[in-house]
Amino acid sequence: MPAHLLFVGGEDHHMRLPFMLALKARGYRLSAAASCDPGCFADAGIDFWPIAFDRYISPRSDVKSVGRLADVLRRVNADVAHCFDTKLGVLTPLAAAELPHTRIVRTINGRGWMFSSRSPVALGLRLLYPTLQRRAARRTDATIFEHDGDRRFFVHHRLLDESLFEVIPGAGIDVEGFDQARAKGFSRKALRHMLDLGDAPVVFTATRVTRQKGIPALLKAAKLVHAERPDVRFVVAGPCEGGGPFAMRPADFEAHAPYVLYLGPRSDVPSLLGMADIFAFPSEYAEGVPRALMEAALAELPIVATELSGCREVIDHGRTGLLTPLRDPRALADGVLALLRDPVRARKMGARASEPIRSIFCLDNVVDRHAALYDRLVQLPSSRRRRERSKQNDFGRLFDPAA
């Protein structure tokens, strides 16, 4: 009988629906738990369990979140619970301490804000990170890394305990679905007319609009490009962060209105990629392999991105795109200008970037590898080590060095 899989995620969990539906088509029984809108899961016929957790540092809230997660895990009683998101990768294994039947898999989607920010709080919390990850590893059956940079970090710092681990590049890109969305959407000419872009060279960015994602650096780079090439327009699509220290708002774009157009959240990103000339990805966030970057490569756009481990998985600097230092608007602007000055080179870069996405990062390949891991875990007998974990169910003991 096919395994029952529970997928646990945050506010962007709906982005993994193609991955989940591909597993459902293979006969797996699916459930999902997340902090996002449940509507699309109901439409897909997937049982949904709402959860809430604080994305920021909040020990009291985190204790409550572990309790809520434990209740969902008990109720669902899945064969495998697979969690995504930096914080959920710690909270979910802790919540599963008393469930030896459910195998716990976590995907490390980068190391998050602690390793992105240079603030004193983030630097201090980095000291706590190994303790958190080692405790989570004791209750984890398998850890998946989206890129080798994170795998090397975890191995070097001995953060994996005895759990299985491997590198799988994200939740996969639905190449066929992406191509169909582009074909059904508005044409390049129609979109440019609707957005009043005319024949201007367009630099496009699709991302969550937060400071962590490098939007302030992007706006500064846009100003620098505008000084040299006033005909260039920057177009940004994505939801603004609602609150917290990294929030940005539509008003932040007003000073750059002559050359930056903010569209807000959009559901037609494949078509928007088709109307662009260059894709800029200024992220400063220590994430996994960015989906937006993979989709831009799939659309054969030349890319200028920051030199993060996840970006290096998609971009071969100088061959399939350009990588620039973090928090360096001048370098980002210079990369954009270099591609604008040499459109033949830019088109060749874009064409080369597409092939790995269609083969290595494609949905079928990624689903095959996940399915093989789930089947392997389900077939393994319950270990004594796993039963011993069930005795360590007090979240408060995380901070007890002797625990």
Side-chain angles (χ1 to χ4, degrees), residues 114-172:
M114 285 187 227
F115 289 84
S116 303
S117 174
R118 295 177 292 184
S119 72
V121 175
L123 294 173
L125 287 171
R126 288 183 197 179
L127 301 176
L128 181 61
Y129 187 82
T131 298
L132 293 169
Q133 292 297 343
R134 289 189 185 104
R135 294 297 171 82
R138 293 177 189 175
R139 300 157 171 87
T140 299
D141 295 285
T143 299
I144 295 171
F145 300 98
E146 290 199 350
H147 56 74
D148 201 54
D150 282 342
R151 181 200 64 81
R152 291 196 303 270
F153 179 89
F154 271 63
V155 170
H156 176 75
H157 292 281
R158 300 180 181 179
L159 306 182
L160 290 169
D161 199 60
E162 300 174 23
S163 61
L164 302 172
F165 63 91
E166 60 178 294
V167 178
I168 304 177

Coordinates of all heavy atoms in Angstrom, one line a residue, residues 114-172:
M114 N 19.5 34.1 9.9 CA 20.7 34.1 10.8 C 22.0 34.2 10.0 O 23.0 34.8 10.5 CB 20.8 32.8 11.6 CG 19.8 32.7 12.8 SD 20.1 31.3 13.8 CE 18.5 30.6 13.9
F115 N 22.0 33.7 8.8 CA 23.3 33.7 8.0 C 23.2 34.7 6.9 O 24.1 34.7 6.0 CB 23.6 32.3 7.5 CG 24.0 31.3 8.6 CD1 23.1 30.7 9.4 CD2 25.4 31.1 8.9 CE1 23.5 29.8 10.4 CE2 25.8 30.3 9.9 CZ 24.8 29.6 10.7
S116 N 22.1 35.5 6.9 CA 22.0 36.5 5.9 C 22.3 37.9 6.4 O 22.9 38.8 5.8 CB 20.6 36.5 5.3 OG 20.3 35.3 4.7
S117 N 21.8 38.1 7.7 CA 21.9 39.4 8.3 C 23.2 39.6 9.0 O 23.8 38.6 9.5 CB 20.8 39.6 9.3 OG 20.9 40.8 10.0
R118 N 23.7 40.8 9.1 CA 24.9 41.2 9.8 C 24.6 41.9 11.1 O 25.5 42.4 11.8 CB 25.8 42.1 8.9 CG 26.3 41.4 7.7 CD 27.1 42.3 6.8 NE 26.3 43.3 6.2 CZ 26.8 44.2 5.4 NH1 28.0 44.2 5.0 NH2 26.0 45.2 4.9
S119 N 23.3 41.8 11.5 CA 22.9 42.5 12.8 C 23.5 41.7 14.0 O 23.8 40.5 13.9 CB 21.4 42.5 12.9 OG 20.9 41.2 13.1
P120 N 23.6 42.4 15.1 CA 24.2 41.7 16.3 C 23.3 40.6 16.8 O 23.8 39.6 17.2 CB 24.1 42.9 17.4 CG 24.3 44.1 16.6 CD 23.5 43.9 15.3
V121 N 22.0 40.7 16.6 CA 21.1 39.6 17.0 C 21.3 38.4 16.1 O 21.4 37.3 16.6 CB 19.6 40.1 16.8 CG1 18.7 38.9 17.1 CG2 19.3 41.2 17.8
A122 N 21.4 38.6 14.8 CA 21.7 37.4 13.9 C 23.0 36.8 14.2 O 23.2 35.6 14.3 CB 21.6 37.9 12.5
L123 N 24.0 37.6 14.4 CA 25.4 37.1 14.7 C 25.4 36.3 16.0 O 26.0 35.2 16.1 CB 26.4 38.2 14.8 CG 26.6 39.0 13.5 CD1 27.5 40.2 13.7 CD2 27.3 38.0 12.4
G124 N 24.6 36.8 17.0 CA 24.5 36.0 18.3 C 23.8 34.7 18.1 O 24.2 33.7 18.7
L125 N 22.7 34.7 17.3 CA 21.9 33.5 17.1 C 22.7 32.4 16.3 O 22.3 31.3 16.5 CB 20.6 33.9 16.4 CG 19.6 34.6 17.3 CD1 18.4 35.1 16.5 CD2 19.1 33.7 18.5
R126 N 23.6 32.8 15.6 CA 24.4 31.8 14.8 C 25.1 30.9 15.8 O 25.4 29.7 15.5 CB 25.5 32.5 14.0 CG 24.9 33.2 12.7 CD 26.0 33.8 11.9 NE 25.4 34.7 11.0 CZ 26.1 35.4 10.1 NH1 27.5 35.3 10.0 NH2 25.5 36.3 9.3
L127 N 25.4 31.4 17.0 CA 26.1 30.5 18.0 C 25.1 29.5 18.5 O 25.5 28.4 18.9 CB 26.6 31.4 19.2 CG 27.6 32.5 18.8 CD1 27.9 33.3 20.1 CD2 28.8 31.9 18.3
L128 N 23.8 29.8 18.5 CA 22.8 28.8 18.9 C 22.4 27.8 17.8 O 21.9 26.7 18.1 CB 21.5 29.6 19.4 CG 20.3 28.8 19.9 CD1 20.7 28.0 21.2 CD2 19.2 29.8 20.2
Y129 N 22.6 28.2 16.6 CA 22.2 27.4 15.4 C 22.7 25.9 15.5 O 21.9 25.0 15.3 CB 22.7 28.1 14.2 CG 22.2 27.4 12.9 CD1 20.9 27.8 12.4 CD2 22.9 26.6 12.1 CE1 20.4 27.2 11.2 CE2 22.5 26.0 11.0 CZ 21.2 26.3 10.5 OH 20.8 25.8 9.3
P130 N 24.0 25.7 15.8 CA 24.4 24.3 15.8 C 23.6 23.4 16.9 O 23.3 22.3 16.6 CB 25.9 24.4 16.2 CG 26.3 25.7 15.7 CD 25.1 26.6 15.9
T131 N 23.3 24.0 18.1 CA 22.6 23.3 19.1 C 21.2 23.0 18.6 O 20.7 21.8 18.8 CB 22.5 24.2 20.4 OG1 23.8 24.4 20.9 CG2 21.7 23.4 21.5
L132 N 20.5 23.9 18.0 CA 19.2 23.7 17.5 C 19.2 22.6 16.5 O 18.3 21.7 16.5 CB 18.6 25.0 16.9 CG 18.3 26.1 17.8 CD1 18.0 27.4 17.1 CD2 17.1 25.8 18.7
Q133 N 20.1 22.6 15.5 CA 20.2 21.6 14.5 C 20.5 20.3 15.0 O 20.0 19.2 14.5 CB 21.1 22.1 13.4 CG 20.7 23.3 12.6 CD 19.4 23.1 11.8 OE1 18.9 22.0 11.6 NE2 18.7 24.2 11.4
R134 N 21.4 20.2 15.9 CA 21.8 18.8 16.4 C 20.6 18.2 17.2 O 20.4 17.0 17.1 CB 23.0 19.0 17.4 CG 24.3 19.3 16.7 CD 25.5 19.2 17.6 NE 26.7 19.6 16.9 CZ 27.3 20.8 17.1 NH1 26.9 21.6 18.0 NH2 28.4 21.1 16.4
R135 N 19.8 19.0 17.9 CA 18.7 18.5 18.6 C 17.6 18.0 17.6 O 17.0 17.0 17.8 CB 18.1 19.5 19.5 CG 19.0 19.9 20.7 CD 19.2 18.6 21.6 NE 20.3 18.9 22.6 CZ 20.1 19.5 23.7 NH1 18.9 20.0 24.0 NH2 21.1 19.7 24.5
A136 N 17.4 18.8 16.5 CA 16.5 18.4 15.5 C 16.9 17.2 14.8 O 16.1 16.3 14.5 CB 16.3 19.6 14.5
A137 N 18.2 17.0 14.6 CA 18.8 15.9 13.8 C 18.5 14.6 14.6 O 18.3 13.5 14.0 CB 20.3 16.1 13.6
R138 N 18.5 14.6 15.9 CA 18.3 13.4 16.7 C 16.9 12.8 16.5 O 16.6 11.7 16.8 CB 18.5 13.7 18.2 CG 19.9 14.0 18.6 CD 20.0 14.4 20.1 NE 21.3 14.9 20.4 CZ 21.6 15.4 21.6 NH1 20.7 15.4 22.5 NH2 22.9 15.8 21.8
R139 N 16.0 13.7 16.0 CA 14.6 13.3 15.8 C 14.2 13.2 14.3 O 13.1 13.3 13.9 CB 13.6 14.3 16.5 CG 13.9 14.3 18.0 CD 13.4 15.6 18.6 NE 13.4 15.6 20.1 CZ 14.4 16.0 20.8 NH1 15.5 16.3 20.2 NH2 14.3 16.0 22.1
T140 N 15.3 13.3 13.5 CA 15.1 13.3 12.0 C 15.6 12.0 11.4 O 16.6 11.5 11.8 CB 15.8 14.5 11.4 OG1 15.3 15.7 12.0 CG2 15.7 14.6 9.9
D141 N 14.8 11.5 10.4 CA 15.3 10.3 9.7 C 16.0 10.5 8.5 O 16.9 9.7 8.1 CB 14.0 9.4 9.4 CG 13.3 8.9 10.7 OD1 13.8 8.0 11.3 OD2 12.3 9.5 11.0
A142 N 15.8 11.7 7.8 CA 16.5 12.0 6.6 C 16.5 13.5 6.4 O 15.5 14.2 6.7 CB 15.9 11.4 5.4
T143 N 17.6 14.1 6.0 CA 17.8 15.5 5.7 C 18.1 15.7 4.2 O 19.0 15.0 3.7 CB 18.9 16.1 6.6 OG1 18.5 16.0 8.0 CG2 19.0 17.6 6.3
I144 N 17.4 16.6 3.6 CA 17.6 16.9 2.2 C 18.1 18.3 2.1 O 17.6 19.2 2.7 CB 16.3 16.8 1.4 CG1 15.8 15.3 1.4 CG2 16.5 17.2 -0.1 CD1 14.4 15.2 0.8
F145 N 19.2 18.4 1.3 CA 19.8 19.7 1.1 C 19.5 20.1 -0.4 O 19.6 19.3 -1.3 CB 21.3 19.7 1.3 CG 21.7 19.4 2.7 CD1 22.1 18.1 3.0 CD2 21.7 20.3 3.7 CE1 22.4 17.7 4.3 CE2 22.0 20.0 5.0 CZ 22.4 18.7 5.3
E146 N 19.2 21.4 -0.6 CA 18.9 21.9 -2.0 C 20.2 22.2 -2.7 O 20.2 22.2 -4.0 CB 18.0 23.1 -1.9 CG 16.6 22.8 -1.5 CD 15.6 23.9 -1.9 OE1 16.0 24.9 -2.3 OE2 14.4 23.6 -1.7
H147 N 21.3 22.4 -2.0 CA 22.5 22.6 -2.7 C 23.7 22.1 -1.8 O 23.5 22.0 -0.6 CB 22.7 24.1 -3.1 CG 22.6 25.1 -2.0 ND1 23.6 25.2 -1.0 CD2 21.6 26.0 -1.7 CE1 23.2 26.2 -0.2 NE2 22.0 26.6 -0.5
D148 N 24.8 21.9 -2.4 CA 25.9 21.3 -1.8 C 26.6 22.2 -0.7 O 27.2 21.7 0.2 CB 27.0 20.8 -2.8 CG 27.9 19.8 -2.2 OD1 27.4 18.7 -1.7 OD2 29.1 19.9 -2.3
G149 N 26.4 23.5 -0.9 CA 27.0 24.4 0.1 C 26.4 24.2 1.5 O 27.2 24.1 2.5
D150 N 25.1 24.0 1.7 CA 24.5 23.6 3.0 C 25.0 22.3 3.4 O 25.2 22.1 4.6 CB 23.0 23.7 2.9 CG 22.5 25.2 2.9 OD1 23.3 26.1 3.3 OD2 21.4 25.4 2.5
R151 N 25.0 21.3 2.5 CA 25.5 20.0 2.9 C 26.9 20.0 3.5 O 27.1 19.4 4.6 CB 25.5 19.0 1.7 CG 25.9 17.6 2.1 CD 26.3 16.8 0.9 NE 27.5 17.3 0.2 CZ 28.7 17.1 0.7 NH1 28.9 16.3 1.8 NH2 29.8 17.6 0.1
R152 N 27.8 20.7 2.9 CA 29.1 20.8 3.4 C 29.2 21.5 4.8 O 29.9 21.0 5.7 CB 30.0 21.6 2.4 CG 30.3 20.9 1.1 CD 31.5 21.5 0.4 NE 31.2 22.9 0.1 CZ 30.7 23.4 -0.9 NH1 30.2 22.6 -1.9 NH2 30.5 24.7 -1.1
F153 N 28.3 22.5 5.0 CA 28.3 23.2 6.3 C 27.8 22.2 7.3 O 28.4 22.2 8.4 CB 27.3 24.4 6.2 CG 27.2 25.2 7.4 CD1 28.0 26.2 7.7 CD2 26.2 24.8 8.4 CE1 27.9 26.9 8.9 CE2 26.1 25.5 9.5 CZ 26.9 26.6 9.8
F154 N 26.8 21.5 7.1 CA 26.2 20.6 8.1 C 27.2 19.4 8.4 O 27.3 19.0 9.6 CB 24.9 20.0 7.6 CG 23.7 20.8 8.0 CD1 23.5 22.1 7.5 CD2 22.7 20.3 8.9 CE1 22.5 22.9 7.9 CE2 21.6 21.1 9.2 CZ 21.5 22.4 8.7
V155 N 27.8 18.9 7.4 CA 28.8 17.8 7.6 C 30.0 18.4 8.4 O 30.5 17.7 9.4 CB 29.3 17.2 6.3 CG1 30.4 16.3 6.5 CG2 28.1 16.5 5.6
H156 N 30.5 19.5 8.0 CA 31.7 20.1 8.7 C 31.4 20.3 10.1 O 32.3 20.1 11.0 CB 32.1 21.4 8.0 CG 33.2 22.1 8.6 ND1 34.5 21.7 8.5 CD2 33.3 23.2 9.4 CE1 35.3 22.5 9.2 NE2 34.6 23.4 9.8
H157 N 30.2 20.8 10.5 CA 29.9 21.2 11.9 C 29.2 20.0 12.6 O 28.7 20.2 13.7 CB 29.0 22.4 11.9 CG 29.8 23.7 11.5 ND1 30.7 24.3 12.3 CD2 29.8 24.3 10.3 CE1 31.2 25.4 11.6 NE2 30.6 25.4 10.4
R158 N 29.1 18.9 12.0 CA 28.6 17.7 12.6 C 27.2 17.9 13.1 O 26.9 17.7 14.3 CB 29.5 17.2 13.7 CG 30.9 16.8 13.2 CD 31.8 16.3 14.3 NE 33.1 16.0 13.8 CZ 34.1 15.6 14.6 NH1 34.0 15.4 15.9 NH2 35.3 15.3 14.0
L159 N 26.3 18.3 12.2 CA 24.9 18.7 12.6 C 23.9 17.7 12.2 O 22.7 17.9 12.3 CB 24.6 20.0 12.0 CG 25.5 21.2 12.2 CD1 25.0 22.5 11.6 CD2 25.7 21.4 13.7
L160 N 24.3 16.5 11.7 CA 23.4 15.5 11.1 C 23.1 14.3 12.0 O 22.3 13.5 11.6 CB 23.9 15.1 9.7 CG 23.9 16.2 8.7 CD1 24.6 15.7 7.4 CD2 22.4 16.5 8.3
D161 N 23.8 14.2 13.1 CA 23.6 13.0 13.9 C 23.7 11.7 13.0 O 24.7 11.6 12.3 CB 22.2 13.0 14.6 CG 22.1 12.1 15.8 OD1 22.9 12.2 16.7 OD2 21.3 11.2 15.8
E162 N 22.8 10.8 13.1 CA 22.9 9.5 12.3 C 21.9 9.5 11.2 O 21.7 8.4 10.5 CB 22.7 8.3 13.2 CG 23.8 8.2 14.3 CD 23.4 7.1 15.3 OE1 22.7 6.1 14.9 OE2 23.9 7.2 16.4
S163 N 21.2 10.6 10.9 CA 20.2 10.5 9.9 C 20.8 10.4 8.5 O 21.9 10.8 8.2 CB 19.3 11.8 10.0 OG 20.0 12.9 9.7
L164 N 19.9 9.9 7.5 CA 20.3 9.9 6.1 C 20.3 11.3 5.6 O 19.6 12.2 6.1 CB 19.3 9.1 5.3 CG 19.1 7.6 5.7 CD1 17.9 7.0 4.9 CD2 20.3 6.8 5.5
F165 N 21.1 11.5 4.6 CA 21.1 12.8 3.9 C 21.5 12.7 2.5 O 22.3 11.8 2.1 CB 22.0 13.9 4.7 CG 23.5 13.5 4.6 CD1 24.3 14.0 3.6 CD2 24.0 12.7 5.7 CE1 25.6 13.7 3.6 CE2 25.4 12.4 5.7 CZ 26.2 12.9 4.6
E166 N 21.0 13.6 1.7 CA 21.3 13.7 0.3 C 21.0 15.1 -0.3 O 20.2 15.9 0.4 CB 20.7 12.6 -0.6 CG 19.2 12.6 -0.6 CD 18.7 11.5 -1.5 OE1 19.0 11.6 -2.8 OE2 18.1 10.5 -1.0
V167 N 21.5 15.4 -1.4 CA 21.3 16.7 -2.1 C 20.3 16.5 -3.2 O 20.5 15.7 -4.1 CB 22.6 17.3 -2.6 CG1 22.3 18.6 -3.3 CG2 23.6 17.5 -1.5
I168 N 19.2 17.2 -3.1 CA 18.1 17.2 -4.2 C 17.8 18.6 -4.5 O 17.4 19.3 -3.5 CB 16.9 16.4 -3.8 CG1 17.3 14.9 -3.4 CG2 15.9 16.3 -4.9 CD1 16.1 14.1 -2.9
P169 N 17.8 19.1 -5.7 CA 17.7 20.5 -6.0 C 16.2 21.0 -5.9 O 15.5 21.1 -7.0 CB 18.2 20.6 -7.4 CG 18.0 19.3 -8.0 CD 18.2 18.3 -6.9
G170 N 15.7 21.2 -4.7 CA 14.4 21.8 -4.6 C 13.2 20.9 -4.8 O 13.4 19.7 -4.8
A171 N 12.1 21.5 -5.0 CA 10.8 20.7 -5.2 C 10.6 20.5 -6.7 O 9.5 20.0 -7.1 CB 9.7 21.4 -4.6
G172 N 11.5 20.9 -7.6 CA 11.4 20.6 -9.0 C 10.6 21.7 -9.7 O 9.8 22.4 -9.2

